Amino acid sequence: QAASARGASDSALPGRLLDLGTKGSGQTPWSRGGDGRLTLKGGVREVLAAEMLEALGVPTSRAFSLIETGEALERGDEPSPTRSAVLVRLSHSHVRFGTFQRAAYIGRPDMIEALVEHARALYHPAVPSGDAPGFLRAVVEASARLTARWIAAGFVHGVLNTDNLNVTGESFDYGPWRFLPHYEPGFTAAYFDQFGLYAFARQPEAVFWALTQLGGALKLAADAAPLTEALNGFGPAYIRELRAAFLARLGVASLGEAADQRLLDTTLALLREGGEALRWEPLFFDWFGGFASSARALGGPRGKLYQGEVFDAFRFALFEHEPDRPERLEQPMFAAPEPEEMRIDEVEAVWAAIDAGDDWGPFHAKLARLARARKAWGLTGC
């Protein structure tokens, strides 16, 4: 069996290198004792996560193909035996933070310098040759942008160690991911994350920790002070990118730092007050385009939720901003009462059809709807 998602090359910027990578191709010299395989369910989940994030403007890897191998796998954390697959992934880079850590661990500054030059030349060519702190600044900026867009998308990656973050700031390796059903800062995606290390609201903290590990590895090739200065840029960059990401999700243009921050704050306040009654994705769907969507939002299925002082503050902040490309509201998706979402019950239903009857119809139908949603939102991740 083989299932092919829409190719990732259509989302790549012209002239940018795309790498091919596999997940589930078997054991390697770096395997940790497992069989090196990917469950078919895990592959299906990765394809769906990447397509949804692409539609929401998050920089992400894409699934080029998903190929079933015919093997039966035994897994301790899900029903077994289960079906096996190999995923072929497309990304601009597969150079992870952990790649630098390995060179630092074995005490090889020459390898650190070679890695920096390789990654700088391919992915951050504006950084001068030999400028390790400048390279770190570029990675910090890209990582801040990625983290902000995760938050605006209501996405929880699940595992944010140095093996799951790369130098181009592209999201990848979707294991125990989830999208928020509603505003919940402590929401976790992984059953094993009992202490909320990678909870929704802690993702910026987790990414910054990983960046400090990268900075520590780069100390073999540069002085500590400029590396620390580069790392200190993460906080301001993240807040700046978060404002931009929320404006993009709401489909309005920037009005300046103060007004943009007011819209960010009031949007979060409305989501917080709405609780379980106001799901994350529908808020952005209802009010996409600002005042141009007033009648649609107030007359829609959540119209009764949009009242009170907190909502009034949100609406005032939103209406300050001009709609950005309001012609997007003419897309058929905005005539529907509900947005395209990626809730966990739908993901499980897609997999159940494949698992029980080898029915890939719901899977391909979801990909088609996500392609239409991507066109409607008109957002870009890279």
Side-chain angles (χ1 to χ4, degrees):
Q1 299 283 345
S4 178
R6 182 167 50 87
S9 58
D10 63 347
S11 67
L13 294 180
R16 288 186 67 180
L17 180 69
L18 279 173
D19 286 349
L20 281 167
T22 60
K23 182 175 181 179
S25 55
Q27 289 185 327
T28 73
W30 297 276
S31 295
R32 294 174 293 182
D35 54 30
R37 294 299 189 193
L38 171 68
T39 67
L40 182 61
K41 181 179 183 180
V44 167
R45 283 172 50 85
E46 174 140 350
V47 173
L48 293 174
E51 291 297 303
M52 183 67 180
L53 289 173
E54 174 78 6
L56 294 176
V58 179
T60 178
S61 65
R62 302 289 295 285
F64 180 74
S65 65
L66 177 63
I67 304 165
E68 186 169 6
T69 68
E71 299 163 281
L73 298 182
E74 295 289 338
R75 290 290 185 267
D77 58 350
E78 59 184 272
S80 296
T82 190
R83 297 156 73 173
S84 174
V86 177
L87 176 78
V88 181
R89 199 188 267 145
L90 279 169
S91 186
H92 291 112
S93 173
H94 287 86
V95 179
R96 312 174 189 220
F97 294 1
T99 311
F100 294 84
Q101 287 181 290
R102 181 178 183 274
Y105 179 78
I106 60 177
R108 292 287 301 274
D110 58 321
M111 290 179 64
I112 295 286
E113 291 170 358
L115 272 170
V116 169
E117 180 56 25
H118 167 76
R120 179 208 64 79
L122 285 179
Y123 310 120
H124 299 292
V127 176
S129 178
D131 185 2
F135 169 72
L136 181 58
R137 277 193 296 275
V139 176
V140 165
E141 289 279 342
S143 301
R145 182 179 310 113
L146 170 63
T147 310
R149 295 193 186 187
W150 276 338
I151 298 299
F155 181 70
V156 186
H157 185 282
V159 183
L160 290 177
N161 53 36
T162 56
D163 189 48
N164 287 340
L165 292 162
N166 65 17
V167 298
T168 49
E170 292 168 276
S171 186
F172 69 101
D173 207 358
Y174 301 113
W177 60 267
R178 293 279 290 274
F179 283 87
L180 285 182
H182 54 269
Y183 183 79
E184 186 179 343
F187 185 88
T188 57
Y191 71 90
F192 51 79
D193 191 7
Q194 299 174 352
F195 300 103
L197 181 62
Y198 303 122
F200 172 68
R202 295 188 67 182
Q203 290 181 115
E205 177 186 343
V207 171
F208 181 68
W209 177 88
L211 285 165
T212 64
Q213 307 314 301
L214 173 61
L218 293 180
K219 285 197 297 185
L220 272 71
D223 293 335
L227 293 172
T228 300
E229 182 182 357
L231 289 170
N232 288 340
F234 178 80
Y238 169 70
I239 295 300
R240 182 179 67 250
E241 292 290 348
L242 192 63
R243 287 194 294 263
F246 269 67
L247 261 64
R249 294 286 344 260
L250 288 164
V252 294
S254 173
L255 191 61
E257 184 175 319
D260 294 352
Q261 185 66 45
R262 184 160 52 248
L263 180 54
L264 169 60
D265 293 341
T266 56
T267 303
L268 289 172
L270 182 59
L271 284 162
R272 186 182 303 113
E273 184 187 65
E276 295 185 13
L278 181 58
R279 301 195 312 278
W280 185 274
E281 194 58 36
L283 173 70
F284 294 97
F285 173 76
D286 288 348
W287 292 99
F288 189 76
F291 65 78
S293 286
S294 291
R296 183 172 64 89
L298 295 175
R302 285 161 294 277
K304 292 182 179 179
L305 296 176
Y306 300 133
Q307 56 185 315
E309 292 183 7
V310 175
F311 168 68
D312 288 342
F314 163 76
R315 182 166 57 175
F316 175 79
L318 182 63
F319 288 4
E320 285 184 299
H321 294 75
E322 291 291 327
D324 175 29
R325 292 174 287 157
E327 66 275 8
R328 289 181 288 176
L329 292 171
E330 298 172 7
Q331 292 288 334
M333 184 181 81
F334 292 109
E338 300 292 344
E340 194 61 47
E341 296 181 83
M342 190 67 75
R343 302 168 76 182
I344 192 62
D345 54 349
E346 183 181 11
V347 175
E348 291 295 335
V350 167
W351 167 246
I354 296 169
D355 188 40
D358 219 25
D359 180 5
W360 291 81
F363 172 78
H364 287 292
K366 183 65 175 179
L367 295 185
R369 292 197 302 274
L370 288 174
R372 292 192 291 271
R374 179 188 174 204
K375 181 179 179 181
W377 290 120
L379 303 174
T380 56
C382 296

